[in-house]
Structure formats: C-alpha cells, structure tokens
C-alpha cells in the first residue's frame, strides 16, 4: 500500500476509534487544531508519564515545574522571539496557497533522497544476499548523480538560511523548478518573513491593555524560574528542570494531521551546566533521548539524527531526532545546546542577577543550558504510525479476513484490558463487572458486552487493548476465565486471582524504564 494511503487510513482510524478529532468539527473545523478523544487522551497521558517519569523519577538531579502560558511580554523580547521567531513564507499566485519556502526546498531534497533509495532497493532485490549497499552507493552513476544534486542543493540552501537571504531562497525554488502541488504552476511571490507568535490583550482596554503572547515554547517558563527552583530546591549544577505544557504557533502551513499544529503540547527539559561542559552534556542527552525512543521497540532503523542546516539564534549545537513517518523521516524531538543566551538575556532585560555560585570553583557564572524538546502530539503520531497494522487472518468460516490492530507498546495502551461476558445472561455480566471492580484501581479496564465475541475482540484490537478477558459459564463453576493476547491472538485459561499479577507484569511501564539503564 502506498505510504500516502497508509497515512489516510491512520487519520480515519484515529477518528473512528476515539483517538483524534478535528477541532470544532461541527463548524467544519479549525485549521491545524485537533481534539483528543476518549482513547487519545489516555494514550497522550501515558506518553507524558513515560517522558515525565524517565526525566524526573530516573534522574535525581531533574525536577519538574508547571509554569503559566501567559508571561510578561518582555520575556519574548529578551528571548529573541519577537524579532526572530519567523518562518520564510511564499505564496503561489495561481492557487493562492501559502507555503514555507524552507519546507518546499526540504521536500525537494527528500525527492533526491527518495530517488537514491529507490535505486538501492531495486539493486538489493536484483543481487540478493550478495548486495553491498555501500559499494553500490559509491559507484552507481544514477545514485552518484542524485547525490551530487542533493549536495549542491543542500549547500546552497544552508547558506541561504544562515544568511537569512530571502531572495536566494526564492531563487532556489525557481532554479529547482519547484511547482505548487495544488496548481502545478511556478508562479511564486517573493519570500517574506512571518512571525509565528499569537498575540492577545490582557486587561480591559479602558485600563490600557497589555499585549501578551501565547507562549511558542514552554522553555522560557523554565528559564525565568531558574533561580526560584535552584534556590528553593537547593539544586547543584548540573541539574535539570522539566515541564510539559501547551505551546502555540501560527504555523504558515498546517499539514500532515497532528504533525504540525497551531496549538500543541511540548515536553521540555532544560539542563543547566558549567560553561565549557555543554557539548559533553549535549552528547550525553543525545544518547539518553535516543535510547528513550528506541526502548519503545519501533525498530532502530526507523530513527536517525539530523544536524540542523541553520542553528537557531540561541544555539551552538543542535540536532533533531527524526522518525520514519509514513511521509518520510521527520523531526520528533530537538536537542539543543542553548549556551547562556536565554539566562543572560533575562538577566539583561530584567536587571536582576541570574547566576550560580559554584562552590567547587569558588566563582559565579551564568549557567549554560542543554535542552531536550519533544512534541507530545508528534510523539503520539509516531506511536500510532508505528503501531498501526493490517494483518491477514482466517475468519471463523475459514475465509481470509483482514484484522486491523494497533500494536501499541502495552504500557502506553489506553485500555489495558477489556472484560467481556460471553453472553448477556446467566449471571455472566455480573461476574464480569465483579472482575472489573477488583481490577479498576490498578488498570484502565473496559466492560464490553455488545456484539459477538469475535467482533468484540476485533474492536479491542483496533483500539490497541493488549488483553481481553472472557467470562463464560465455566467461570461460574471454577473461577477461571480466558485471557486473550492482542498480538498473538492466543488464549489461555487462568484463575481470576491470577489476573492482576499477569496483567501487571505485562503492562507495567517499569519494563520500559529497565531498557533505559
Ligand atoms: N524550545 C525549543 C523548541 O521549541 P522546536 O524544535 O521549535 O524547539 C520542539 O520544537 C519540538 O516541538 C519539535 O521537535 C516538535 O516535536 C514539537 N513541535 C514544534 N512545533 C510544532 C507544531 N507546530 N506542531 C506540533 N509539534 C510541534
């Protein structure tokens, strides 16, 4: 199936099974804003727990905060967001559609990569086990030609971004003959800068309202609380402050479902270190974060690091963790060495000393910062993309059938078990509810009695519920139930008193943390 079709199916699946809905759908929706449904919110909470606990519980020198979305407007002047938090936009005059100029060029780079990968895949098929990919990439003329095109474009693009050269960005789009995907034309406007922050007013206008911004990143809430946390928590450098919260960006192009939203959530951690040690810490956090991703078991080959073409105004090193989504490798998380830029700026703009007295060195300094920043929604999309499967199975009548199953990491699954009476009579529903009453304080359980047992299993597979427990007539006689696994579809008969132990062992988030050691 084409990857585009897979992605369309994913979006439809998210809606059908209560994961993600378009915001304000009854009013025909609001661009790039989404709501999470009854299963979506549980998955989202589990992702946040996996991140939060891995930061705050597993690192004794990382603590959490929850800062307000509204902050003093000078914060955004000091941080550089008022002047420099821009994206280069370009319009197609025929379709009247607006694009990010850098994204159009990145898509062109991806096309060259795709051509090379296709050549490699074809050759791999032809040569089988004897295939040497390195040698092929180094010698095949078609791969080499595309690699050269990629290198030339990449170099020109990086330079244009670093020089903030908007005319050159437009020229690249013209020279590369990039067309508008809607109109198919090359009738482009000039490239302009567009600030991504949403502004609103605080206070009534008669008082003289103050222009405030909806925060475009949660990080600034951490920076301006650095001293509060350091002093009240008696924190010693190196230490980190973690936060999960909403962020808002008036994205020019809202595409790819929850990948790029105007209202989204971030999980950010600022790690404060001694000046000069930041690049070592940068490497450590790169490794720690990659391990966190890979522990979910979505395939190590589906991740890669991507060095930034252009460093943000505050960074001296930056890398993205990219995941292979159905629409290609894309950023899920950014790891940035932000130097002392933010704290120094807040020191200057607030006029308050923001420093750390290092007892070992016997001197005070503005700490340097290594940041890890991941979008909850992008992580959600990664989990859903990696988990969605269509499997051919044999139906009860012996015919082939397709089973749609979300093979979510069990610790993240919204519902851990569904309890089902085989029939809606003979005391089976009451027994099923008794089991739920016993387990509901430990796991998110669902009672399900509608439709045939086969249909109910399929429904739970599609939601991603790892276990289904079925109560039948034998249960009333010997206190046993069947427990069915989502992934293997295998069933086992166990006594009711064993359920808690089995499910707890299999679904505990501890198994994920073990892999982070
Ligand atoms: N504090 C640094 C910072 O905000 P970023 O690379 O702009 O860095 C970090 O954003 C992460 O936030 C991204 O890797 C992505 O996962 C998520 N993110 C950024 N913009 C987003 C958007 N419009 N929609 C969804 N997630 C977004």
């Amino acid at each position: 199936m084409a990857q585009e079709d897979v992605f369309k199916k994913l979006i439809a699946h998210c809606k059908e099974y209560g994961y993600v809905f378009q915001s304000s759908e009854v009013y025909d929706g609001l661009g790039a804003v989404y709501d999470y449904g009854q299963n979506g919110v549980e998955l989202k909470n589990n992702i946040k727990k996996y991140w939060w606990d891995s930061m705050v519980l597993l690192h004794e020198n990382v603590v959490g905060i929850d800062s307000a979305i509204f902050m003093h407007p000078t914060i955004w002047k000091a941080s550089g967001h008022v002047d420099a938090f821009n994206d280069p936009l370009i319009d197609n005059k025929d379709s009247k559609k607006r694009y990010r100029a850098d994204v159009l060029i990145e898509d062109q780079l991806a096309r060259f990569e795709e051509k090379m990968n296709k050549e490699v895949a074809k050759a791999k098929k032809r040569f089988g086990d004897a295939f040497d990919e390195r040698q092929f990439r180094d010698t095949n003329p078609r791969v080499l030609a595309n690699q050269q095109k990629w290198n030339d474009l990449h170099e020109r693009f990086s330079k244009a971004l670093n020089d903030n050269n908007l005319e050159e960005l437009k020229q690249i789009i013209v020279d590369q003959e990039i067309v508008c995907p809607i109109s198919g034309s090359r009738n482009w406007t000039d490239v302009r800068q567009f600030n991504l922050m949403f502004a609103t007013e605080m206070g009534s206008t008669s008082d003289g309202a103050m222009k405030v911004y909806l925060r475009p990143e949660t990080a600034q809430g951490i920076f301006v609380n650095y001293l509060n946390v350091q002093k009240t928590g008696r924190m010693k450098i190196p230490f980190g402050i973690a936060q999960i919260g909403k962020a808002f960006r008036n994205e020019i192009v809202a595409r790819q479902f929850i990948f790029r939203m105007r209202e989204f959530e971030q999980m950010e951690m600022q790690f404060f270190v001694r000046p000069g040690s930041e690049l070592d810490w940068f490497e450590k956090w790169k490794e720690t974060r990659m391990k966190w991703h890979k522990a979910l078991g979505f395939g190590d080959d589906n991740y890669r690091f991507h060095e930034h073409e252009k460093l943000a105004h505050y960074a001296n090193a930056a890398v993205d963790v990219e995941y292979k989504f159905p629409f290609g490798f894309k950023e899920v998380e950014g790891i940035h060495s932000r130097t002392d830029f933010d704290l120094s700026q807040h020191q200057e703009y607030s006029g308050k000393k923001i420093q750390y007295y290092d007892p070992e060195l016997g001197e005070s300094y503005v700490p340097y910062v290594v940041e890890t920043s991941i979008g909850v929604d992008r992580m959600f999309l990664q989990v859903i993309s990696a988990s969605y499967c269509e499997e051919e199975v044999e139906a009860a009548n012996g015919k082939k059938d397709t089973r749609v199953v979300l093979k979510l990491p069990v610790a993240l699954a919204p519902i851990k078990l569904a309890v089902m009476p085989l029939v809606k009579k003979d005391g089976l529903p009451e027994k099923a509810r008794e089991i739920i009453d016993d387990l509901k304080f430990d796991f998110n359980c669902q009672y399900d009695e509608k439709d045939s047992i086969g249909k109910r299993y399929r429904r739970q597979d599609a939601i991603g519920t790892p276990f289904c427990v079925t109560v039948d007539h034998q249960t009333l006689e010997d206190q046993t139930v069947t427990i069915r696994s989502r992934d293997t579809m295998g069933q086992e008969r166990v006594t009711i008193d064993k359920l808690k132990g089995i499910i707890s062992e299999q679904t505990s988030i501890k198994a994920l943390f073990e892999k982070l050691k």
Side-chain angles (χ1 to χ4, degrees):
M1 201 189 320
Q3 289 301 292
E4 238 170 62
D5 296 333
V6 173
F7 194 51
K8 277 189 195 145
K9 281 195 173 190
L10 268 181
I11 298 172
H13 191 86
C14 280
K15 179 169 180 196
E16 189 178 349
Y17 289 96
Y19 275 93
V20 184
F21 307 127
Q22 173 72 61
S23 161
S24 320
E25 194 183 344
V26 286
Y27 290 98
D28 297 331
L30 186 66
V33 186
Y34 290 90
D35 299 335
Y36 288 84
Q38 65 281 14
N39 290 318
V41 67
E42 297 289 345
L43 173 57
K44 210 176 171 205
N45 285 341
N46 293 341
I47 291 171
K48 288 194 261 187
K49 181 171 172 54
Y50 177 42
W51 183 87
W52 184 268
D53 288 357
S54 75
M55 284 292 173
V56 175
L57 293 190
L58 301 194
H59 295 98
E60 63 180 53
N61 58 351
V62 177
V63 293
I65 62 163
D66 183 18
S67 70
I69 287 171
F70 288 133
M71 292 195 279
H72 196 285
T74 311
I75 287 173
W76 303 111
K77 186 75 190 153
S79 67
H81 284 82
V82 171
D83 298 318
F85 195 56
N86 301 320
D87 273 344
L89 70 83
I90 190 166
D91 293 292
N92 182 269
K93 292 182 197 165
D94 298 320
S95 67
K96 310 272 183 263
K97 288 279 170 201
R98 182 159 285 180
Y99 299 92
R100 266 175 62 176
D102 55 334
V103 172
L104 286 178
I105 300 170
E106 275 168 10
D107 287 349
Q108 179 75 347
L109 283 166
R111 270 178 223 119
F112 292 135
E113 258 180 70
E114 207 176 301
K115 280 185 188 164
M116 291 188 269
N117 291 340
K118 269 195 184 147
E119 292 293 342
V120 171
K122 261 197 301 184
K124 215 180 226 170
K125 219 171 170 187
R126 206 165 54 237
F127 295 116
D129 288 345
F131 181 65
D132 180 341
E133 183 172 335
R134 189 68 275 144
Q135 190 190 5
F136 182 79
R137 283 187 183 271
D138 289 344
T139 53
N140 180 273
R142 278 185 299 272
V143 172
L144 288 175
N146 278 306
Q147 186 64 55
Q148 190 56 49
K149 285 184 192 165
W150 189 95
N151 293 348
D152 293 345
L153 175 57
H154 186 257
E155 192 180 329
R156 197 174 159 196
F157 175 46
S158 301
K159 183 163 173 13
L161 282 181
N162 279 314
D163 298 347
N164 245 331
N165 188 340
L166 303 185
E167 278 164 27
E168 173 67 352
L169 282 179
K170 159 106 188 251
Q171 198 53 48
I172 294 174
I173 289 170
V174 171
D175 293 349
Q176 291 287 323
E177 302 184 345
I178 294 172
V179 297
C180 165
I182 307 290
S183 67
S185 91
R186 293 186 217 140
N187 197 5
W188 297 109
T189 62
D190 287 341
V191 177
R192 301 187 303 285
Q193 290 289 24
F194 177 78
N195 193 288
L196 300 183
M197 281 199 296
F198 284 102
T200 186
E201 291 190 338
M202 186 175 269
S204 70
T205 32
S206 55
D207 289 337
M210 176 164 66
K211 183 175 177 182
V212 291
Y213 298 98
L214 297 187
R215 65 182 178 197
E217 61 170 11
T218 60
Q220 295 304 324
I222 294 179
F223 288 124
V224 296
N225 276 296
Y226 156 77
L227 269 188
N228 287 336
V229 175
Q230 193 273 317
K231 288 204 179 333
T232 57
R234 292 177 296 131
M235 307 301 290
K236 285 206 177 77
I237 270 180
F239 75 92
I241 304 179
Q243 166 158 240
I244 299 178
K246 288 267 183 172
F248 305 83
R249 296 183 189 177
N250 196 3
E251 296 285 356
I252 299 167
V253 195
R255 270 192 314 178
Q256 289 155 333
F257 192 38
I258 55 171
F259 182 82
R260 198 175 300 288
M261 302 156 86
R262 296 197 166 108
E263 173 180 340
F264 57 100
E265 234 175 324
Q266 287 186 316
M267 306 186 279
E268 298 203 292
M269 194 278 303
Q270 314 298 129
F271 199 70
F272 300 92
V273 303
R274 252 186 212 167
S277 68
E278 73 275 11
L279 293 180
D280 289 340
W281 281 109
F282 176 71
E283 290 304 323
K284 281 195 189 120
W285 279 108
K286 259 173 79 176
E287 195 191 316
T288 305
R289 294 304 304 147
M290 192 52 113
K291 232 184 197 177
W292 183 89
H293 284 278
K294 289 185 175 173
L296 290 171
F298 298 148
D300 291 3
D301 293 345
N302 290 324
Y303 295 93
R304 70 182 186 190
F305 283 120
H306 171 78
E307 304 284 338
H308 282 202
E309 265 79 46
K310 179 192 176 188
L311 287 178
H313 57 275
Y314 48 71
N316 70 357
V319 78
D320 293 335
V321 176
E322 291 190 340
Y323 175 74
K324 195 173 179 190
F325 286 98
F327 42 85
F329 272 103
K330 294 280 174 202
E331 171 189 349
V332 182
E333 170 158 11
I335 299 157
H336 314 121
S337 171
R338 287 180 82 131
T339 67
D340 60 351
F341 176 83
D342 301 86
L343 290 183
S344 297
Q345 288 290 102
H346 291 310
Q347 185 169 252
E348 188 186 325
Y349 277 73
S350 68
K352 312 244 163 57
K353 200 166 156 192
I354 305 180
Q355 299 201 349
Y356 175 74
Y357 176 74
D358 192 325
E360 282 171 36
L361 296 182
E363 62 182 64
S364 294
Y365 51 76
V366 178
Y368 272 47
V369 172
V370 173
E371 155 185 88
T372 72
S373 173
I374 174 169
V376 178
D377 314 86
R378 254 182 223 186
M379 190 58 208
F380 185 108
L381 186 57
Q382 185 200 126
V383 171
I384 290 273
S385 312
S387 305
Y388 182 87
C389 290
E390 287 181 15
E391 285 180 352
E392 208 168 80
V393 288
E394 206 168 290
N397 58 10
K399 287 191 181 153
K400 294 261 178 258
D401 195 8
T402 305
R403 164 174 103 119
V404 176
V405 50
L406 272 190
K407 292 194 172 174
L408 298 167
V410 284
L412 302 186
I415 301 163
K416 299 293 188 263
L417 79 155
V419 183
M420 310 169 168
L422 187 62
V423 289
K424 275 192 269 182
K425 56 182 185 182
D426 304 337
L428 301 190
E430 290 77 9
K431 189 72 193 166
R433 291 213 180 269
E434 210 179 277
I435 294 173
I436 288 192
D437 278 345
D438 187 38
L439 297 179
K440 70 183 176 195
F441 300 110
D442 297 284
F443 316 105
N444 194 351
C445 309
Q446 190 169 80
Y447 176 78
D448 194 357
E449 63 171 23
K450 193 170 175 289
D451 298 321
S452 70
I453 198 79
K455 273 194 182 160
R456 282 182 266 170
Y457 284 157
R458 286 294 158 78
R459 191 158 55 229
Q460 294 299 333
D461 288 345
I463 292 170
T465 307
F467 296 105
C468 290
V469 166
T470 304
V471 173
D472 54 21
H473 291 95
Q474 191 181 330
T475 309
L476 304 181
E477 287 161 22
D478 63 4
Q479 299 297 312
T480 63
V481 287
T482 59
I483 177 163
R484 172 192 181 267
S485 147
R486 172 197 72 192
D487 296 346
T488 64
M489 293 187 284
Q491 295 189 26
E492 212 188 322
R493 202 148 191 116
V494 299
T495 51
I496 292 171
D497 59 0
K498 295 250 164 59
L499 280 177
K500 198 179 283 182
I502 294 172
I503 293 161
S504 155
E505 193 193 325
Q506 305 262 350
T507 61
S508 162
I509 203 162
K510 278 189 200 156
L512 285 178
F513 294 142
E514 285 294 324
K515 295 190 195 169
L516 303 182
K517 278 184 183 163

